């Protein structure tokens, strides 16, 4: 969910733990696109202008979006995904969909497969979350949940999505 910040943080670990946001744009028009847990705790949200965010948290550190780092990290995610399935879709912004149908023969169950995916991505120094479901929407929402990996049983996608707030369905 915070791919932009995580990728940038990967190359600048000294900002760990501080109130840091990734921004897009310049000056007063710069908009927050992601923030650290500490910034989010202080109610800094994506879409705020940098002056609005700094009015809430004056010592906020702002980092510009690094398109090259994001591109490299996305390519790494795609390469890792291709080790699990030949059918991979690049959805951008740190999201990769892969069709794992038929891959169950290599793992005892889907949870074991998801954990193997997490380990592979984290070895590339990219923090990740994994969601497995029969439909892309349910898989994306499952991957965005804090508890990872999340596996949605086949046919249970509607029941899984129903109790969640509508903000989870935002594209």
């Amino acid at each position: 969910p915070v791919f932009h910040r995580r990728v940038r943080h990967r190359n600048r670990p000294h900002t760990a733990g501080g109130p840091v946001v990734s921004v897009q744009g310049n000056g007063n028009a710069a908009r927050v696109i992601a923030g650290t847990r500490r910034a989010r705790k202080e109610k800094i949200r994506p879409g705020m202008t940098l002056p609005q965010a700094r009015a809430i948290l004056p010592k906020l550190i702002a980092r510009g979006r690094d398109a090259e780092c994001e591109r490299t990290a996305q390519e790494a995610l795609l390469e890792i995904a291709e080790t699990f399935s030949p059918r991979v879709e690049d959805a951008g912004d740190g999201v990769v969909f892969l069709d794992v149908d038929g891959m169950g023969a290599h793992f005892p169950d889907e949870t074991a497969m998801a954990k193997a995916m997490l380990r592979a991505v984290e070895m590339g120094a990219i923090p990740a979350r994994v969601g497995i479901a029969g439909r892309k929407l349910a898989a994306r929402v499952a991957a965005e949940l804090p508890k990872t990996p999340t596996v949605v049983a086949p046919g249970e996608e509607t029941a899984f999505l129903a109790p969640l707030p509508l903000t989870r369905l935002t594209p």
Side-chain angles (χ1 to χ4, degrees):
V2 290
F3 179 71
H4 310 290
R5 186 191 58 77
R6 291 288 183 110
V7 168
R8 181 102 175 157
H9 172 73
R10 189 173 99 163
N11 295 327
R12 291 167 183 80
H14 65 278
T15 60
V20 181
V21 292
S22 292
V23 297
Q24 186 168 349
N26 296 315
N28 289 340
R31 296 233 174 236
V32 173
I33 55 173
T36 60
R37 180 174 286 125
R38 188 165 163 205
R40 292 189 314 268
K41 195 181 224 182
E42 296 293 330
K43 307 295 184 214
I44 306 297
R45 299 285 178 251
M48 286 183 162
T49 64
L50 186 54
Q52 287 172 327
R54 284 209 169 122
I56 296 169
L57 199 58
K59 294 188 180 200
L60 184 69
I61 299 168
R63 300 279 185 242
R65 195 169 178 179
D66 189 335
E68 186 59 28
C69 280
E70 290 174 29
R71 186 188 62 73
T72 303
Q74 188 72 18
E75 285 177 4
L77 285 175
L78 289 166
E79 287 176 15
I80 293 165
E82 288 170 349
T83 66
F84 288 91
S85 174
R87 297 175 304 270
V88 174
E89 178 185 335
D90 181 357
D93 287 338
V95 177
V96 175
F97 290 106
L98 52 149
D99 183 351
V100 295
D101 191 39
M103 303 305 289
H106 303 286
F107 300 94
D109 58 27
E110 289 174 333
T111 301
M113 182 188 319
K115 287 180 180 179
M117 289 177 195
L118 273 175
R119 282 190 303 274
V121 174
E122 288 173 353
M123 282 177 37
I126 303 170
R129 293 183 182 170
V130 174
I132 295 181
R135 295 189 307 217
K136 284 199 271 187
L137 173 64
R140 182 184 55 80
V141 171
E144 290 175 353
L145 296 176
K147 181 180 175 273
T148 194
T150 302
V151 177
V152 180
E156 297 295 319
E157 292 86 2
T158 303
F160 166 73
L161 294 170
L164 297 174
L166 287 176
T167 55
R168 288 280 183 198
L169 302 179
T170 306

